[in-house]
Amino acid sequence: VTTPSREKIWKMFDAIAPTYDRVNRVMTFGMDQRWRKKVGDFLPKGENLSLLDCATGTGDQMLALNDKVSSAIGIDLAEDMLKIGRAKLVHLPHISFQTGNMCALDFPDGTFDCATVSFGIRNVTDVPGALREMHRVLKPGGRALILEGSMPSNWLIRKGHLLYLRHLLPRIGGLLSKNRDAYRYLNKTIETFPCGDAFCTLMRTAGFSTTTAHPIFFGSVTLYVGEKR
Ligand SMILES: C[S@@+](CC[C@H](N)C(=O)[O-])C[C@H]1O[C@@H](n2cnc3c(N)ncnc32)[C@H](O)[C@@H]1O
């Protein structure tokens, strides 16, 4: 079994890019699109919002928010994911894609009203560094909105979720993508990644003044909101 280090994780996404969207729909029973839409409820107030979507992959998070922002840039290291995103969102001229590392963002301080990252933060090599970068590129009053897999707090639901993560998800992902190792790796990272209060603490350490965690679907996913003062 070859599980990539987080250093090379984006290369694994190049390998699963052609089936990535379809596997997401099947694995979440179509709910991932609803979760991405929910992020829109927490956008900062105001008009003409500018959005940076970190680890954008095929751009689904920007697609979900496209009618709520006036411009959006998605960055990712996996060229094949970006290629699919560009083709998919070609009809939305206010959305663009760039190659970029979210641990070292290529934008000046205070550029964006909002920075999102969906199902991406747990894959980066330097989580505190990536959070500091999101904070840095936000304008004062801007918001970071982070969607990530988490562990349900109810023990029975957690048990069921672990069964799903460990046994069903790698099989479904493996069958559809022909890359079982990739999906085995992905759920292992969900189990071990800090969630809830622990993740909010990481966000505050990175500079966010207020942080809140909003559990979704029994806490199997959490939306984190961080404010920049
Ligand atoms: C699970 S996918 C999420 C894609 C997308 N945000 C979504 O919601 O479908 C994780 C993405 O993180 C990207 N990634 C991993 N490390 C990265 C880094 N340091 N900088 C930018 N993107 C990164 C991968 O290439 C991959 O496209």
Side-chain angles (χ1 to χ4, degrees):
V1 176
T2 48
T3 46
S5 70
R6 275 185 167 78
E7 198 102 42
K8 300 278 156 52
I9 186 73
W10 56 273
K11 290 195 173 158
M12 190 191 76
F13 282 97
D14 270 340
I16 60 173
T19 50
Y20 177 79
D21 285 354
R22 186 150 48 96
V23 175
N24 272 354
R25 288 315 89 77
V26 175
M27 267 175 5
T28 65
F29 309 102
M31 289 186 290
D32 65 314
Q33 300 293 56
R34 218 179 312 147
W35 300 336
R36 290 173 214 280
K37 281 265 180 217
K38 180 138 191 75
V39 173
D41 296 346
F42 294 86
L43 283 168
K45 302 257 176 296
E47 300 197 340
N48 299 323
L49 294 178
S50 56
L51 171 74
L52 173 70
D53 185 36
C54 300
T56 193
T58 61
D60 271 353
Q61 186 56 66
M62 292 193 290
L63 179 61
L65 302 180
N66 88 84
D67 55 347
K68 292 194 150 95
V69 299
S70 65
S71 68
I73 302 177
I75 64 119
D76 202 288
L77 285 168
E79 288 295 340
D80 291 342
M81 296 285 274
L82 292 173
K83 221 184 284 171
I84 289 170
R86 284 192 186 103
K88 193 166 67 180
L89 306 193
V90 69
H91 61 292
L92 298 171
H94 63 304
I95 293 182
S96 60
F97 292 85
Q98 286 178 23
T99 307
N101 184 350
M102 71 172 292
C103 300
L105 291 171
D106 207 6
F107 301 98
D109 298 358
T111 306
F112 299 96
D113 296 301
C114 184
T116 50
V117 56
S118 298
F119 310 108
I121 190 77
R122 75 172 191 277
N123 295 309
V124 305
T125 41
D126 177 12
V127 175
L131 292 173
R132 278 196 302 274
E133 278 294 84
M134 290 176 83
H135 182 268
R136 179 183 69 74
V137 300
L138 281 172
K139 297 174 187 171
R143 273 190 188 172
L145 305 175
I146 302 178
L147 205 52
E148 192 47 88
S150 50
M151 280 294 135
S153 48
N154 177 289
W155 73 270
L156 192 59
I157 297 175
R158 190 167 58 239
K159 240 181 151 70
H161 188 54
L162 279 172
L163 274 176
Y164 172 72
L165 284 181
R166 289 177 184 170
H167 302 289
L168 211 58
L169 191 143
R171 284 187 174 84
I172 300 172
L175 207 67
L176 296 176
S177 70
K178 310 272 182 284
N179 191 330
R180 190 153 165 181
D181 288 346
Y183 285 92
R184 199 176 288 139
Y185 166 84
L186 286 177
N187 39 324
K188 230 188 269 165
T189 58
I190 296 179
E191 283 183 42
T192 52
F193 196 68
C195 64
D197 288 346
F199 191 76
C200 285
T201 301
L202 281 179
M203 288 181 80
R204 282 196 299 277
T205 307
F208 290 96
S209 56
T210 327
T211 56
T212 47
H214 305 264
I216 301 173
F217 198 57
F218 306 106
S220 59
V221 171
T222 301
L223 171 60
Y224 301 94
V225 180
E227 312 256 358
K228 176 167 177 174
R229 215 194 302 268

